[in-house]
Amino acid sequence: MAQNHQSTVVITGASSGVGLYAAKALAQRGWHVVMACRNLAKAQEAAQTLEIPQDSYTLMEIDLGSLESVRHFVKNFRESGKSLDALVCNAAIYMPLLKEPLRSPEGYELNVATNHLGHFLLCNLMLEDLKNSSSSDPRLVILGTVTHNPDELGGKIPPRPDLGELKGFAEGFKAPISMIDGKKFEPVKAYKDSKVCNVLTMRELHRRYHEATGITFSSLYPGCVAETPLFRNHYPLFQKIFPLFQKYITGGYVSQELAGERVAMVVADPEYKQSGIYWSWGNRQKKDGKSFVQRVSPQARDDEKAERMWELSAKLVGVA
Ligand code: NAP
């Protein structure tokens, strides 16, 4: 059980990869971790395998692809009586080989529904919990990725993300619409678009709420964590070659453990108490292992786009 003085963090998608290792790193720092996962048996086994002490985590069910499930999670969290000191939006799906779009229960394209819309609703609802936090330094952290940014080597590979005029969102984002820009379905682009929305959400949260609430909003690119199950839906050959390519060619490779540690630093360390910031440890730019504030992509720093994305997303998730 969390004690009164113990900080509590909610991490979505803590059953594998970056989220799981972040849970471990924060538990080691004395935090209580709410592992917000869609498969609790898997999450429990993963926590045990990593030897996260039983009393430093709680499992709670959430399916980010379902808006109803997100609302249900928030209700359960509130009923638990815990104070929310940090929220980490980490869960994501990446399904590069899809031929046709999959749909969420609400009828939205599933990559964007899970990675962006579910988290967008969660952030909007849990803002209230962060405002009421017993911590003097509440934080909300959203995972970014280099592929959101065509200014970076990792972001140059087509298809590039492009939200266009957000026509797909404006028209309701249900079949036959499957992309935010309203164009033809491209699963890799859908993932990248969702990650642009993640960064826009963080920046818009900062603009709207930082001054009034004191909450720190930030994003990070933890490095290329080439061995997480994120790539499980890719060709087996890709899964074999990608980590080697990142290790020996780009130098962008980081272990899951280090990526988790980086998330924990952004959640907990005083140096990371800067809001509206995108942290990176770089791929090629820096080799000293130190973090730096990275400029986000032109789309992700477009304030008008951020506002329009916010208003349309709010309608789609029912908080407008
Ligand atoms: P991962 O190992 O596949 O983990 C993704 C997590 O999200 C899993 O716990 C998964 O649950 C969960 N999840 C997926 N769909 C969900 C849903 N509908 N509801 C609730 N949970 C759901 O991937 P990862 O590499 O750690 O990625 C984590 C984050 O890091 C993502 O935001 C990704 O964009 C970001 N990132 C990754 C890299 C990289 O190189 N891997 C680089 C930069 C940024 P299950 O276990 O049930 O599938």
Side-chain angles (χ1 to χ4, degrees):
M1 273 294 284
Q3 292 153 19
N4 285 341
H5 62 273
Q6 194 180 28
S7 298
T8 297
V9 57
V10 167
I11 305 178
T12 66
S15 55
S16 86
V18 179
L20 173 62
Y21 282 83
K24 178 169 181 167
L26 282 160
Q28 278 169 341
R29 284 160 197 250
W31 284 62
H32 188 81
V33 183
V34 174
M35 298 172 69
C37 299
R38 61 178 167 179
N39 182 338
L40 298 190
K42 179 178 174 185
Q44 170 71 359
E45 202 182 320
Q48 277 169 352
T49 306
L50 257 64
E51 297 179 348
I52 305 177
Q54 188 92 48
D55 60 354
S56 56
Y57 67 91
T58 304
L59 303 170
M60 278 192 202
E61 192 175 337
I62 191 169
D63 176 357
L64 266 308
S66 153
L67 298 177
E68 197 188 324
S69 170
V70 171
R71 289 184 185 280
H72 193 67
F73 168 82
V74 174
K75 186 169 167 280
N76 278 348
F77 177 81
R78 288 181 182 159
E79 282 170 6
S80 76
K82 293 182 189 352
S83 156
L84 183 68
D85 305 306
L87 168 63
V88 179
C89 297
N90 163 81
I93 49 167
Y94 176 55
M95 309 183 94
L97 306 181
L98 280 183
K99 297 277 181 268
E100 296 294 329
L102 297 175
R103 296 281 165 185
S104 74
E106 288 82 15
Y108 301 142
E109 188 282 318
L110 197 60
N111 274 280
V112 171
T114 306
N115 305 354
H116 166 55
L117 292 172
H119 280 131
F120 182 85
L121 176 61
L122 186 67
C123 291
N124 271 274
L125 298 177
M126 295 208 106
L127 206 55
E128 218 36 56
D129 304 82
L130 286 169
K131 280 187 206 161
N132 296 330
S133 170
S134 50
S135 160
S136 56
D137 181 13
R139 298 189 190 180
L140 192 160
V141 177
I142 307 181
L143 267 286
T145 174
V146 72
T147 52
H148 96 272
N149 192 351
D151 286 354
E152 289 285 307
L153 181 65
K156 289 197 191 304
I157 304 155
R160 295 185 180 187
D162 184 7
L163 308 187
E165 300 303 314
L166 292 104
K167 207 164 161 269
F169 267 7
E171 289 175 4
F173 205 50
K174 291 190 181 167
I177 298 162
S178 58
M179 299 296 286
I180 297 174
D181 62 7
K183 294 188 181 160
K184 192 172 153 280
F185 181 60
E186 281 189 72
V188 174
K189 181 174 175 296
Y191 171 80
K192 293 180 181 179
D193 285 352
S194 74
K195 299 306 287 184
V196 172
C197 287
N198 285 160
V199 182
L200 287 172
T201 301
M202 179 280 287
R203 291 189 55 253
E204 194 61 11
L205 280 165
H206 166 74
R207 192 183 70 78
R208 288 176 184 240
Y209 301 111
H210 173 65
E211 222 171 277
T213 64
I215 299 168
T216 297
F217 301 98
S218 53
S219 281
L220 73 151
Y221 169 56
C224 184
V225 206
E227 280 158 352
T228 73
L230 188 66
F231 306 101
R232 80 194 90 160
N233 297 309
H234 219 306
Y235 295 113
L237 187 64
F238 175 91
Q239 294 180 43
K240 229 180 231 164
I241 291 173
F242 189 54
L244 299 173
F245 177 72
Q246 293 296 344
K247 253 183 208 166
Y248 302 113
I249 312 281
T250 69
Y253 172 90
V254 297
S255 66
Q256 301 187 69
E257 199 141 28
L258 181 55
E261 183 55 33
R262 287 175 172 174
V263 173
M265 282 154 55
V266 175
V267 167
D269 288 3
E271 305 89 280
Y272 295 90
K273 190 177 160 47
Q274 282 185 64
S275 190
I277 296 291
Y278 184 91
W279 297 100
S280 178
W281 283 257
N283 274 337
R284 298 151 298 123
Q285 302 95 328
K286 287 255 209 166
K287 293 288 171 208
D288 61 4
K290 293 207 178 101
S291 58
F292 62 100
V293 174
Q294 188 167 42
R295 198 152 92 128
V296 300
S297 75
Q299 271 194 100
R301 59 177 188 264
D302 179 336
D303 293 340
E304 264 177 47
K305 196 157 270 186
E307 219 173 317
R308 185 160 163 74
M309 184 284 309
W310 182 281
E311 279 161 13
L312 294 172
S313 300
K315 275 196 197 139
L316 293 175
V317 306
V319 293

